Amino acid sequence: MQWLLPVIVFAPAIAGVALLLFPQRPAKLIAAGATLAVFLLSLWLYFGLLNGSATTFGDVLHPQWAVDEPWINIALGTFHFRVDYALGADGLSMPMIVLNALLTFLAVVGSWHIDRRIKFYLALILILETGVMGVFAAFDLFLFILFWEVELIPMFLLIGIWGGARREYAAWKFLIYTLVGSSFTLAGIFLIYVQTGGQSATYQHYASVASQLTGSLPLFGGSVSLPLVLFLLLFAGFAVKIPMWPVHTWLPDAHTEAPTAVSVLLAGVLLKMGAYGLIRICLGFVPQGVQEIAPLLGIVAAINVLWGAGASMVQHDMKKMIAYASVSHMGYVLLGVAGAAASVGGASLLDFRQAALTGATLQMFTHGAITGMLFFCVGVLYDKAHTREIDIFGGIATRMPREITLYSIACFASLGLPALAGFVAEYLVFTGTYALLPAQTVFAVFGVVLTAGYLLWMLRRSFFGPLNLKWRGLTDATLREAFPLAALAVVILFVGIYPQPLVDLITPAMQQTLHTVVQALAVH
Amino acid sequence: MTSHIDGIQIWMLAPELSVVLLGFLVLGLDLITHNRRVVAATALIGLLIPLGFTLSLVVKQDALTPDHTAFFHMLVVDGYALFFQFLFLVIGFGVLLVSYGYVEKFLRVTIGEYYSIILLSLAGMMLMASTGELISVYISLELTSIPLYILAGLSRSDTRSAEAAVKYVLLGAMSSAILLYGMALLYGATGTTDLTEIARNTQAALSSGNLVLLAADVFIFTGFGFKISAVPFHMWAPDIYEGAPTPSTLFFSVGSKAAGFAALLRVFIFGGLAAISGGTYLWVMVAIVAAVTMTLGNVVALLQTNIKRMMAYSSIGQAGYLLVGFAAIMISNSPAGNLGILAFLAVYVVTNIGAFTGIIGLADATGKENIRDFDGLGRRAPFIAAGMGLCLLSLAGIPPMAGFWGKLFILLTAWNQGSALTWLVVLGLINSAISIVYYANVVWRMFVAEPEKRDRLAMSGSVTLTMAVAVVGILALTIAFGFLLTGLGGGAGGLFPTATTP
């Protein structure tokens, strides 16, 4: 079954190029068919892996159904350059692969009404899907950075061509922020490759030498800790993507200006690339570097949570509000990772580390589903009303019962209502980090209150109360429009009520990562 | 070394010889027939003959003279030379094919004249990579350059073209003079013009405190610095790129640059000059030139409004990345740095041919060459625009195009030299981020901006075909980059004098 993962990764791009050769209508069907097929294949992979090994996908050292062929392998003098075509999936990447497949399929369905240059649009979305899949599936660091940059230009063009009024500014800002960040990540990859022997760049290699990666580097006459430098370089690109305060400012612009389906993908999966890099590469391969900076990372995480929530509070545009909410919610991921790596307590707090890290990983999945759904909701509303101004609406729940019910579910999930997906992840993160980084956690918890504040306030102002007569002609979402919303609502409810399957799969992968973290603590 | 000229030696010269003969044949054919297609087809099909000779030399390397030299060490046919011969023949194919339509429309010369000038210059370029002796390096450099001066001035009704030709001649002559001066010093210090002998003598000369050798190094580097448009010897490039007819510009940007590097590496590595530089801090000069070259090239490219000027600064920036690899060679005589340069050049050549094909296509159809004129090309000529976009992004180092691997590998080889070049690599990465702004700007104009006119542009078959080959080439090079490195490894390593190879 080794062919399955490569097909999932490359099929979208192939379909994306192929559909350009067809007329508009069949092209749409090809896009929908291909993304649906990839989603089904990803489910097959998910359950196939599950059945194959009884309970787990394995971890980074033991990926199932993985592919690993030498791609570039050259030795010359003392220099060795080796890149493996290595694809694999474990408990960390598999949920992301399924999420990406699902959201891309829904994005194609949600873009059905677009007529302007639709073939080009769909082709870019499908190439984007391949890039993101590759990031999650790559098991070699050079392959990872290759896929990491594939996503850039399609997203740049998607915002630039189909975006809102300030699309030019937003697209360029996105491009420049991401590029500058990823330049440093590439420098970090060079450094870790050379420092760990320069023989191989596979994840297995880095994971197995991670705890021995110590020492210092000469710098301007003094010396700095090698793991810390590695962490800072590698993290630079991820921090922009996550996005971490203070390099988050591209996000509100990009998310607000992008067309609905693209906002969904941006918030749903592209931000997760950063979080994935943080957990897989920073925490997994340079745990000591994360440890050295964990308290500070925790503080920045708390700032992320509160800053994002505070900014959401004062927005007048629904989409911008949700964009800032993303900044806030990705702060929980940062907090969870910082907690898991904190040097407090050593190995004795392993259960708390486990909870924090599992929570952070789960938050990646649930935030993707919830924010994706929120953006779809705003999109449907915008298509009907041609505005996203929060104060302009009023009482429209009576006119759009279907849309507003689903919108409310998404809002409740986002504010962490128990029995919906958001709660599980946030609860795990806070439970874990309170023991490890108490001060930071205490501040960050207020984010939950603020989130409830701005979401409920928006619900009251826009949807409930007396109907603003200007909107009496508003029609409800059609079944096609409501389909992506309903699909995501099902996912959110399921994970909220019964998160066990997902948690069970994430845990073993995280156990391995934490094993390295604790080992590194011991070495320290 | 054999003391007489025999069949094997002629065979070793056959690729260059057949290119020269083909040049004369094409020129003569112009007198007999006025059918442009016949002339063009003869040239393109004729290029298969030197290609065949080169491949036969690749396959039958054991049948050559034992030390792979001929004509009293003047000709060296090693893996390195054969790679460059192959590369120049690819350039020849690309340039001849893509210029077919342009020459008829904009230049008042016959196709035979134009092709024969290019072929003669091509023979010079092939020789630049394959000579093992200073005088023949110089002669092949002039054989390369003089046709290039003519190519710059071929738009006879355009004053910019005339200006370009005059500037090119004057600056070319000056750089040749500097190069000759360096060579003279080198001869004075070592008593020979044979590079193999020089490699043997330099170590002794330097250990006896011979600073003449250092001066020779600097002058020779400066002389070649003009050819590869390294800052501060780059001033000619933007004016001449802009003024020359576009297919000629393409030929300068790939052919002249690759030939400059071919000869530079030949003299510095094969001639043993790089081996002495580690202890002399000559590498610091090269590293600084590399840093300034890529930074100035990429930053100034941001400000350009003319696409050819932009590509001129882009090619200066690309020369900067190549010089990073050269700095790695200078610092530790590293074969990996040499491999990085060869692989980068291979990718750069294919990519730049593709990018210029787009420019030539637009010029063919509309006669315009400002960046603004690319507005909406994505809808007016989708295939050409898409292909050109991919090539520009490859130059910027965006995957999945091969430019990504080229840049990554050359920077990694420099990084591997220890902490001395780390700053240069980081600067290279930052430059790479800067460069994407002007490359992406063209992509933005082609695909996002609204055009003034919406009519479809008809692209000639030769332009479309060249673009298709270039795009397939850069995507194939991504996948086959491992094979490229493995295949070039021997040639890159074999250039180093055996005594000093680590």
Side-chain angles (χ1 to χ4, degrees):
Chain A
M1 303 304 284
Q2 289 185 323
W3 56 271
L4 202 50
L5 199 51
V7 168
I8 290 172
V9 172
F10 294 108
I14 295 168
V17 175
L19 68 80
L20 291 171
L21 306 172
F22 290 87
Q24 198 155 318
R25 183 81 195 162
K28 277 186 182 181
L29 291 172
I30 289 173
T35 46
L36 178 62
V38 167
F39 174 56
L40 295 176
L41 285 176
S42 75
L43 284 183
W44 184 13
L45 182 68
Y46 191 99
F47 291 108
L49 286 179
L50 213 52
N51 293 337
S53 57
T55 49
T56 122
F57 300 141
D59 52 45
V60 67
L61 292 176
H62 312 94
Q64 312 290 320
W65 292 358
V67 190
D68 190 349
E69 302 286 337
W71 180 4
I72 297 173
N73 189 3
I74 173 106
L76 201 61
T78 55
F79 178 72
H80 197 138
F81 181 50
R82 180 176 171 134
V83 180
D84 281 39
Y85 165 68
L87 298 177
D90 69 348
L92 178 59
S93 50
M94 200 57 229
M96 290 296 110
I97 289 173
V98 174
L99 181 71
N100 183 29
L102 173 64
L103 285 181
T104 311
F105 168 58
L106 296 179
V108 169
V109 175
S111 307
W112 213 253
H113 60 286
I114 292 180
D115 287 325
R116 195 163 143 256
R117 300 170 80 180
I118 178 71
K119 287 196 310 187
F120 191 34
Y121 175 89
L122 292 172
L124 290 175
I125 292 233
L126 287 171
I127 293 169
L128 186 73
E129 184 179 12
T130 285
V132 178
M133 282 293 185
V135 166
F136 295 133
F139 256 55
D140 181 284
L141 216 42
F142 288 113
L143 196 63
F144 168 85
I145 195 76
L146 190 153
F147 279 116
W148 177 273
E149 302 210 331
V150 165
E151 143 274 336
L152 209 56
I153 295 298
M155 185 47 82
F156 172 69
L157 290 175
L158 281 168
I159 299 174
I161 301 180
W162 292 273
R166 289 169 67 242
R167 60 182 187 270
E168 184 161 1
Y169 173 75
W172 279 102
K173 198 168 177 183
F174 165 80
L175 185 76
I176 291 167
Y177 269 63
T178 315
L179 261 174
V180 173
S182 63
S183 302
F184 288 102
T185 302
L186 190 53
I189 290 176
F190 284 173
L191 185 59
I192 195 174
Y193 179 75
V194 173
Q195 290 289 337
T196 57
Q199 301 291 325
S200 167
T202 57
Y203 287 180
Q204 285 90 337
H205 167 67
Y206 291 118
S208 55
V209 300
S211 50
Q212 291 123 45
L213 199 63
T214 53
S216 59
L217 273 183
L219 188 75
F220 304 126
S223 79
V224 283
S225 149
L226 171 67
L228 186 64
V229 171
L230 271 176
F231 168 76
L232 291 176
L233 284 174
L234 290 167
F235 185 56
F238 306 148
V240 171
K241 259 287 179 302
I242 285 176
M244 186 185 80
W245 178 89
V247 288
H248 66 283
T249 59
W250 63 271
L251 182 138
D253 290 310
H255 285 215
T256 312
E257 297 309 317
T260 302
V262 176
S263 304
V264 170
L265 291 177
L266 256 175
V269 289
L270 264 79
L271 305 188
K272 308 307 174 292
M273 286 163 51
Y276 174 82
L278 173 64
I279 295 176
R280 170 77 84 205
I281 292 166
C282 293
L283 191 63
F285 304 158
V286 277
Q288 289 202 10
V290 191
Q291 255 159 36
E292 285 179 40
I293 210 167
L296 183 63
L297 196 63
I299 292 171
V300 175
I303 296 178
N304 237 44
V305 170
L306 296 177
W307 187 289
S312 292
M313 205 71 134
V314 297
Q315 297 306 319
H316 299 292
D317 182 334
M318 281 182 194
K319 214 170 171 184
K320 210 157 193 172
M321 186 194 84
I322 299 168
Y324 275 108
S326 280
V327 177
S328 170
H329 282 120
M330 291 306 283
Y332 300 140
V333 179
L334 274 176
L335 185 66
V337 175
S343 49
V344 195
S348 63
L349 295 174
L350 191 61
D351 289 344
F352 291 97
R353 293 178 198 285
Q354 183 76 56
L357 196 55
T358 307
T361 314
L362 196 59
Q363 171 75 358
M364 285 162 62
F365 183 84
T366 57
H367 175 261
I370 294 169
T371 308
M373 184 170 168
L374 279 171
F375 275 117
F376 270 127
C377 291
V378 178
V380 171
L381 189 60
Y382 182 75
D383 287 340
K384 307 277 174 199
H386 302 290
T387 178
R388 299 185 298 249
E389 199 80 15
I390 294 173
D391 292 318
I392 250 176
F393 292 103
I396 57 171
T398 53
R399 287 286 165 265
M400 312 177 80
R402 195 184 284 153
E403 154 85 0
I404 299 304
T405 309
L406 290 164
Y407 205 151
S408 307
I409 291 176
C411 285
F412 288 131
S414 183
L415 62 83
L417 198 72
L420 295 171
F423 171 76
V424 187
E426 286 173 23
Y427 180 78
L428 276 170
V429 169
F430 289 134
T431 319
T433 52
Y434 183 69
L436 297 152
L437 295 170
Q440 289 90 330
T441 310
V442 165
F443 278 102
V445 164
F446 279 102
V448 177
V449 182
L450 289 173
T451 308
Y454 61 77
L455 284 172
L456 293 176
W457 195 27
M458 181 204 71
L459 283 179
R460 191 188 66 75
R461 282 187 289 170
S462 297
F463 303 154
F464 301 109
L467 175 68
N468 179 345
L469 289 182
K470 185 183 169 197
W471 301 110
R472 88 199 132 188
L474 219 53
T475 51
D476 203 354
T478 63
L479 283 178
R480 186 193 59 70
E481 285 167 332
F483 170 71
L485 308 184
L488 287 171
V490 171
V491 173
I492 289 166
L493 265 172
F494 181 79
V495 176
I497 295 168
Y498 190 51
Q500 208 56 39
L502 211 51
V503 172
D504 279 349
L505 301 171
I506 294 171
T507 308
M510 293 300 101
Q511 264 165 355
Q512 195 281 326
T513 306
L514 283 171
H515 180 66
T516 356
V517 171
V518 174
Q519 257 186 342
L521 265 177
V523 172
H524 216 44
Chain B
M1 188 171 81
T2 43
S3 56
H4 62 282
I5 293 169
D6 58 15
I8 290 183
Q9 299 197 8
I10 299 287
W11 173 43
M12 286 165 73
L13 190 60
E16 288 87 354
L17 222 46
S18 51
V19 171
V20 173
L21 290 176
L22 183 66
F24 290 135
L25 173 70
V26 171
L27 192 59
L29 208 57
D30 234 8
L31 299 173
I32 304 165
T33 170
H34 290 290
N35 190 334
R36 300 177 73 244
R37 282 168 187 278
V38 173
V39 179
T42 312
L44 284 168
I45 296 169
L47 269 183
L48 293 175
I49 297 167
L51 189 65
F53 279 126
T54 300
L55 292 180
S56 78
L57 288 168
V58 173
V59 177
K60 293 264 180 190
Q61 290 206 38
D62 297 337
L64 305 182
T65 50
D67 54 355
H68 288 203
T69 64
F71 301 109
F72 315 103
H73 281 187
M74 280 203 272
L75 190 70
V76 185
V77 185
D78 50 8
Y80 174 85
L82 290 170
F83 159 72
F84 271 105
Q85 289 182 8
F86 185 76
L87 191 67
F88 289 127
L89 289 171
V90 170
I91 292 173
F93 270 113
V95 174
L96 294 189
L97 188 59
V98 79
S99 53
Y100 180 73
Y102 190 96
V103 173
E104 184 185 26
K105 215 160 175 179
F106 295 102
L107 302 181
R108 277 185 288 162
V109 292
T110 63
I111 193 85
E113 272 181 85
Y114 191 79
Y115 278 12
S116 65
I117 299 170
I118 286 183
L119 287 170
L120 290 176
S121 183
L122 204 62
M125 291 173 181
M126 290 165 74
L127 280 171
M128 274 172 84
S130 340
T131 49
E133 194 261 332
L134 288 178
I135 304 290
S136 33
V137 168
Y138 181 73
I139 291 173
S140 38
L141 180 73
E142 291 302 303
L143 176 58
T144 307
S145 301
I146 292 169
L148 291 182
Y149 305 148
I150 304 172
L151 284 175
L154 270 183
S155 281
R156 284 181 217 155
S157 52
D158 187 350
T159 50
R160 286 182 311 167
S161 178
E163 182 194 326
V166 172
K167 274 188 184 166
Y168 206 3
V169 170
L170 292 177
L171 286 167
M174 195 176 80
S175 69
S176 296
I178 293 172
L179 184 66
L180 267 184
Y181 191 36
M183 287 177 174
L185 289 176
L186 195 56
Y187 175 69
T190 59
T192 174
T193 57
D194 183 340
L195 288 173
T196 324
E197 291 290 315
I198 290 174
R200 222 169 284 148
N201 293 351
T202 40
Q203 299 288 1
L206 195 76
S207 58
S208 63
N210 197 336
L211 288 177
V212 173
L213 210 55
L214 278 186
D217 267 16
V218 174
F219 280 122
I220 293 177
F221 179 69
T222 306
F224 286 124
F226 276 95
K227 301 293 165 201
I228 61 178
S229 61
V231 177
F233 321 116
H234 67 288
M235 306 288 194
W236 60 275
D239 290 347
I240 287 160
Y241 276 40
E242 185 190 1
T246 316
S248 306
T249 309
L250 164 63
F251 194 45
F252 304 156
S253 76
V254 291
S256 178
K257 182 154 302 194
F261 270 100
L264 177 72
L265 296 175
R266 174 65 81 188
V267 173
F268 268 79
I269 300 177
F270 193 69
L273 300 188
I276 60 165
S277 80
T280 58
Y281 294 99
L282 211 57
W283 65 268
V284 178
M285 175 191 78
V286 175
I288 290 171
V289 169
V292 180
T293 303
M294 60 190 174
T295 310
L296 186 130
N298 285 319
V299 171
V300 180
L302 292 171
L303 310 173
Q304 301 306 314
T305 54
N306 178 294
I307 187 89
K308 280 157 79 181
R309 283 189 87 85
M310 188 198 93
M311 289 306 288
Y313 282 106
S314 139
S315 86
I316 294 170
Q318 303 282 334
Y321 301 128
L322 284 159
L323 283 172
V324 173
F326 188 56
I329 296 172
M330 293 295 278
I331 200 168
S332 68
N333 216 15
S334 135
N338 193 21
L339 179 59
I341 293 182
L342 300 193
F344 191 102
L345 269 177
V347 174
Y348 168 79
V349 160
V350 180
T351 314
N352 233 29
I353 289 178
F356 267 96
T357 302
I359 301 174
I360 293 170
L362 183 76
D364 267 358
T366 65
K368 291 178 179 166
E369 54 184 39
N370 282 320
I371 298 178
R372 213 180 41 237
D373 300 322
F374 282 83
D375 282 6
L377 192 70
R379 277 187 269 183
R380 301 178 75 190
F383 175 73
I384 296 295
M388 184 176 169
L390 290 180
C391 290
L392 290 174
L393 295 174
S394 176
L395 286 174
I398 297 278
M401 277 66 73
F404 169 77
W405 282 135
K407 200 176 281 183
L408 189 148
F409 184 73
I410 204 166
L411 293 179
L412 185 60
T413 58
W415 186 286
N416 199 45
Q417 296 310 309
S419 53
L421 287 180
T422 306
W423 63 276
L424 194 59
V425 176
V426 171
L427 189 67
L429 291 169
I430 293 170
N431 260 291
S432 178
I434 296 173
S435 76
I436 196 163
V437 173
Y438 61 85
Y439 292 123
N441 181 37
V442 180
V443 174
W444 175 280
R445 289 195 167 276
M446 289 194 295
F447 290 99
V448 183
E450 294 291 332
E452 281 170 26
K453 292 187 204 152
R454 289 174 168 272
D455 56 322
R456 276 294 262 247
L457 295 177
M459 288 292 167
S460 66
S462 64
V463 166
T464 311
L465 183 61
T466 318
M467 185 61 93
V469 173
V471 169
V472 171
I474 55 170
L475 291 177
L477 276 175
T478 310
I479 297 164
F481 196 73
F483 293 111
L484 182 72
L485 291 182
T486 320
L488 291 178
L495 193 63
F496 290 82
T498 38
T500 49
T501 304

